Amino acid sequence: MKCYFRPLAVALVALAAAVPTLDRARAQPFSPDQRGEIEKIIRDYLLRNPEVLQEVIQEMERRQAQADADKHREAIKQNAEAIFNSRRQVVLGNPQGDVTMVEFFDYNCGFCKKALADKIELMKADPKLRLVLKEFPVLGEGSTQAAQVAVAVRMQDKTGGKKYFEFHQKMFASRGQIDKARALAVVREIGFDVARVERDINSDEVRLTLEEGFKLAEALGINGTPTYVLAGQVVVGAVGVEKLREAINTARCGKATCS
């Protein structure tokens, strides 16, 4: 779902950088012959002990994961009201639940489609879960059109999110590319006013809703879907129901399993 630097290349760059660091630590720089000898020693050592590279890679990954987690916690703290309590979002599950899980999704995201069953299972099993849905159309014009229709549906929904969720499920049940035409067809299926939806997609409310979602995603460092945000943590990708349950429990009691 995402691209990463190749860890081996990164580790080699980091190790190579150690040589000029040694240069600066001495009163006199290494001669070309001395530098060549040092590089040969490092190369020979790594060839004899390749497991050192794996240790370096693991430590780099650990530090990066910790830095990302710290950054996420701070971003969530700074944007908590808009993330969890914006009036421009859909709330499902228990509106007064003790844990809120926010999902950023795109209707053309195959991983989001697979993850829908996870959310349904979690809401059925956990009566204290509050689920927030935020449109994050990152997969092209069709996704943007579908998100605009979805926000217009939310504006028309007077059932506390039930009709919106019906729309949401039917959208993910669709085959092929999702766009305005398919979204409007689903609007007809659920019995909403299509003409009103077509008017509302050009409204300030729709524009501001999508702008808010993108601003939050930028602040949180989110660039893919599905991404989940809970108190103090960001979970990236369709990780499965058990990983999501662990994240919910961590938000609830500080552990992967609550007694």
Side-chain angles (χ1 to χ4, degrees):
M1 293 176 65
K2 292 178 179 291
C3 295
Y4 297 95
F5 290 112
R6 292 176 182 173
L8 179 58
V10 175
L12 290 173
V13 169
L15 288 166
V19 175
T21 300
L22 290 172
D23 274 353
R24 292 192 295 272
R26 292 171 57 92
Q28 295 293 327
F30 291 116
S31 69
D33 288 344
Q34 289 173 320
R35 185 182 180 89
E37 184 62 26
I38 291 172
E39 290 174 350
K40 182 178 183 301
I41 291 170
I42 292 174
R43 179 179 182 277
D44 290 346
Y45 178 80
L46 292 176
L47 288 174
R48 290 194 304 270
N49 303 277
E51 67 276 5
V52 172
L53 284 175
Q54 187 62 38
E55 293 176 12
V56 171
I57 292 166
Q58 290 173 348
E59 178 61 17
M60 291 173 64
E61 291 176 344
R62 186 194 67 78
R63 294 187 184 187
Q64 185 60 55
Q66 184 61 55
D68 289 344
D70 292 343
K71 183 177 180 180
H72 286 151
R73 276 193 293 271
E74 183 60 25
I76 293 169
K77 181 179 177 181
Q78 295 295 327
N79 298 277
E81 188 62 25
I83 293 170
F84 299 112
N85 299 310
S86 172
R87 68 181 182 84
R88 295 189 170 100
Q89 61 192 22
V90 173
V91 177
L92 302 173
N94 184 345
Q96 284 77 46
D98 64 346
V99 172
T100 298
M101 182 172 73
V102 179
E103 182 194 19
F104 289 76
F105 70 92
D106 183 307
Y107 281 117
N108 279 302
C109 169
F111 293 103
C112 298
K113 184 174 184 176
K114 292 180 180 178
L116 177 59
D118 296 338
K119 295 190 291 293
I120 293 173
E121 181 177 341
L122 288 168
M123 285 191 292
K124 287 180 178 178
D126 189 343
K128 294 183 178 181
L129 177 63
R130 179 175 180 262
L131 176 66
V132 168
L133 299 179
K134 290 184 182 288
E135 286 87 2
F136 185 45
V138 293
L139 298 177
E141 181 60 27
S143 294
T144 299
Q145 294 171 358
Q148 290 170 333
V149 173
V151 177
V153 167
R154 187 259 296 168
M155 292 166 61
Q156 195 175 147
D157 186 7
K158 305 299 181 184
T159 66
K162 292 180 181 179
K163 292 296 287 184
Y164 175 95
F165 195 49
E166 181 184 351
F167 169 87
H168 187 79
Q169 293 178 85
K170 286 182 178 293
M171 288 285 280
F172 278 122
S174 301
R175 294 184 178 181
Q177 181 73 13
I178 304 297
D179 55 14
K180 179 181 177 181
R182 179 57 195 145
L184 289 177
V186 174
V187 171
R188 293 188 187 92
E189 288 181 42
I190 66 173
F192 268 16
D193 186 336
V194 176
R196 178 180 167 184
V197 167
E198 292 202 80
R199 289 195 304 271
D200 285 344
I201 60 177
N202 297 310
S203 68
D204 287 342
E205 179 65 16
V206 169
R207 176 180 59 81
L208 291 171
T209 297
L210 297 185
E211 285 181 359
E212 179 180 275
F214 274 95
K215 287 179 181 177
L216 288 174
E218 182 178 7
L220 293 162
I222 295 172
N223 56 17
T225 56
T227 297
Y228 305 91
V229 182
L230 301 95
Q233 56 184 315
V234 173
V235 180
V236 179
V239 296
V241 67
E242 290 307 319
K243 289 292 185 182
L244 290 178
R245 185 174 285 117
E246 289 177 4
I248 292 166
N249 287 337
T250 299
R252 177 171 286 142
C253 67
K255 299 182 295 184
T257 302
C258 297
S259 57

